């Protein structure tokens, strides 16, 4: 809580330092980004960064957003050039890591930043958290579970951004699971669920994964509880289906095959599920029905 409070105070301080003109012009540029007018947004942000009297923080902020626009325009080299111009070095490095990760340059990111002392970056803690996040996520994608766990655990300590925190904890859980550390994986998944309290794919993915571990441990009531809290049986589509299937699998693990089959039928009746989900569920349902007979 203290870290989040400090980060919030720093954000308020930085916004106050931006000045009314910068805030207004930045808002216009970001509206262009939201409207997918990326060429116009890129021009507006680079002009903003070059403005007379622009502070280091303002220039860093504008160039970071400009670099992300260039990346979305598939101008990777231009994006890296803009990131290199960011005067505040931690933001410059974090932006470069972001660009490399988003463009799937995982090995390049790891090679360049493997010895980077991210924890000693000056500035706000969320920037430190993002640095650990991008390096940890690259390690995860490169199947380096040990370093992924180390960095993502650090990211979870520092991140104040709820979406990134949720993703960091989710992938931390996945990395721990690959290393056969179920207790740490479960802890990470439960933290992801809490971080993604508003809902969405992070919470649903973490819930299904956590329920799987609890089911394996024979903690059926706890598995049902988190599935219910995530909205199992109350939502449609891909994740509504996944949650109901996890519920059905938990019933099956209890030996309640008939109830599990009924739950799979309920899942198959949902709107918005894809063909792959249908085929997999029908296969499991056929097996369960054979066992019931």
């Amino acid at each position: 809580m203290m870290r989040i409070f400090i980060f919030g105070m720093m954000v308020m301080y930085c916004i106050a330092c931006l000045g009314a003109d910068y805030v207004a012009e930045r808002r216009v540029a970001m509206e262009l980004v939201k409207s997918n007018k990326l060429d116009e947004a890129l021009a507006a942000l680079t002009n903003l960064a070059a403005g007379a009297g622009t502070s280091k923080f303002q220039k860093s902020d504008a160039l970071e957003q400009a670099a992300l626009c260039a990346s979305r325009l598939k101008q990777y080299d231009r994006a890296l050039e803009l990131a290199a111009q960011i005067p505040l070095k931690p933001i410059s490095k974090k932006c470069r890591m972001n660009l490399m990760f988003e463009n799937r340059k995982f090995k390049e990111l790891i090679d360049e930043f493997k010895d980077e002392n991210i924890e000693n970056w000056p500035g706000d803690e969320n920037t430190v958290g993002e640095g650990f996040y991008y390096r940890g996520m690259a390690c995860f994608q490169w199947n380096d579970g040990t370093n992924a766990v180390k960095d993502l655990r650090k990211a979870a300590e520092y991140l104040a951004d709820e979406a990134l925190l949720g993703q960091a904890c989710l992938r931390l859980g996945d990395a721990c699971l690959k290393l056969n550390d179920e207790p740490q994986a479960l802890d990470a998944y439960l933290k992801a669920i809490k971080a993604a309290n508003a809902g969405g794919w992070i919470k649903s993915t973490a819930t299904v994964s956590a329920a799987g571990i609890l089911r394996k441990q024979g903690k059926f009531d706890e598995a049902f509880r988190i599935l219910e809290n995530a909205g199992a049986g109350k939502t449609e589509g891909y994740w509504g289906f996944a949650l109901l299937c996890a519920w059905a699998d938990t019933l099956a693990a209890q030996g309640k095959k008939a109830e599990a089959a009924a739950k799979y039928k309920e899942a198959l009746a949902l709107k918005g599920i894809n063909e792959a989900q249908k085929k997999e569920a029908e296969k499991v349902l056929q097996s369960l029905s054979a066992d019931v007979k």
Side-chain angles (χ1 to χ4, degrees):
M1 289 300 293
M2 181 57 70
R3 286 195 179 98
I4 294 174
F5 173 76
I6 292 170
F7 172 68
M9 293 297 291
M10 289 192 70
V11 169
M12 291 173 65
Y13 172 76
C14 290
I15 290 172
C17 290
L18 291 179
D21 291 343
Y22 182 87
V23 171
E25 290 180 45
R26 185 188 191 279
R27 187 178 296 118
V28 171
M30 297 313 291
E31 284 299 322
L32 291 170
V33 173
K34 288 180 184 178
S35 301
N36 208 36
K37 297 178 180 178
L38 298 175
D39 286 304
E40 293 177 48
L42 178 56
L45 288 161
T46 50
N47 288 336
L48 194 54
T54 304
S55 71
K56 282 187 176 182
F57 181 83
Q58 292 169 336
K59 188 170 184 177
S60 297
D61 174 62
L63 285 171
E64 180 177 21
Q65 297 305 319
L68 296 176
C69 282
S71 180
R72 287 178 62 184
L73 287 165
K74 308 300 181 186
Q75 299 174 14
Y76 181 62
D77 290 339
R78 175 83 189 283
L80 291 179
E81 288 173 9
L82 290 166
Q85 295 170 30
I86 294 174
L88 296 177
K89 291 306 174 187
I91 296 178
S92 177
K93 290 178 180 180
K94 181 256 293 186
C95 182
R96 183 174 175 84
M97 293 168 85
N98 186 354
L99 294 170
M100 295 173 87
F101 179 75
E102 292 300 328
N103 286 276
R104 303 187 66 79
K105 310 286 186 181
F106 306 130
K107 185 64 164 59
E108 291 91 329
L109 191 162
I110 294 166
D111 288 344
E112 182 172 339
F113 292 101
K114 62 184 176 183
D115 297 321
E116 182 71 27
N117 194 345
I118 297 170
E119 203 155 24
N120 281 350
W121 283 359
D124 71 272
E125 292 191 336
N126 199 64
T127 298
V128 172
E130 287 187 51
F132 278 120
Y133 172 81
Y134 292 121
R135 192 173 68 184
M137 291 291 279
C139 288
F140 178 81
Q141 292 291 340
W142 203 247
N143 292 319
D144 181 356
T146 301
N147 283 313
V149 167
K150 185 167 67 173
D151 276 351
L152 291 173
R153 189 168 281 142
K154 280 291 184 184
E157 287 181 25
Y158 285 100
L159 283 169
D161 182 289
E162 281 260 312
L164 284 184
L165 176 59
Q167 290 184 61
C169 290
L170 177 62
R171 293 305 174 221
L172 173 58
D174 292 343
C176 287
L177 205 55
K178 284 186 176 182
L179 294 174
N180 297 313
D181 189 343
E182 288 188 355
Q184 289 299 316
L186 178 59
D187 182 66
Y189 289 137
L190 294 177
K191 286 178 180 174
I193 292 168
K194 186 177 180 181
N197 203 32
W201 72 272
I202 297 172
K203 181 176 181 178
S204 297
T205 308
T207 296
V208 170
S209 297
I213 295 173
L214 290 168
R215 181 169 63 246
K216 190 174 178 182
Q217 294 176 345
K219 298 177 181 177
F220 303 120
D221 288 344
E222 290 182 43
F224 286 131
R225 191 177 305 117
I226 64 166
L227 288 166
E228 185 176 17
N229 289 341
K234 298 177 183 177
T235 54
E236 300 277 351
Y238 182 95
W239 289 113
F241 178 90
L243 292 168
L244 274 181
C245 288
W247 191 292
D249 291 341
T250 306
L251 287 168
Q254 289 181 297
K256 301 176 180 179
K257 302 293 179 68
E259 291 179 46
K263 194 61 69 173
Y264 262 106
K265 289 177 183 177
E266 186 181 336
L268 282 165
L270 291 176
K271 296 178 182 177
I273 62 176
N274 61 45
E275 285 302 314
Q277 287 178 307
K278 285 181 182 178
K279 286 181 181 179
E280 184 60 30
E282 286 167 353
K283 186 176 176 182
V284 176
L285 181 58
Q286 187 175 19
S287 176
L288 285 169
S289 299
D291 289 341
V292 170
K293 290 177 183 178

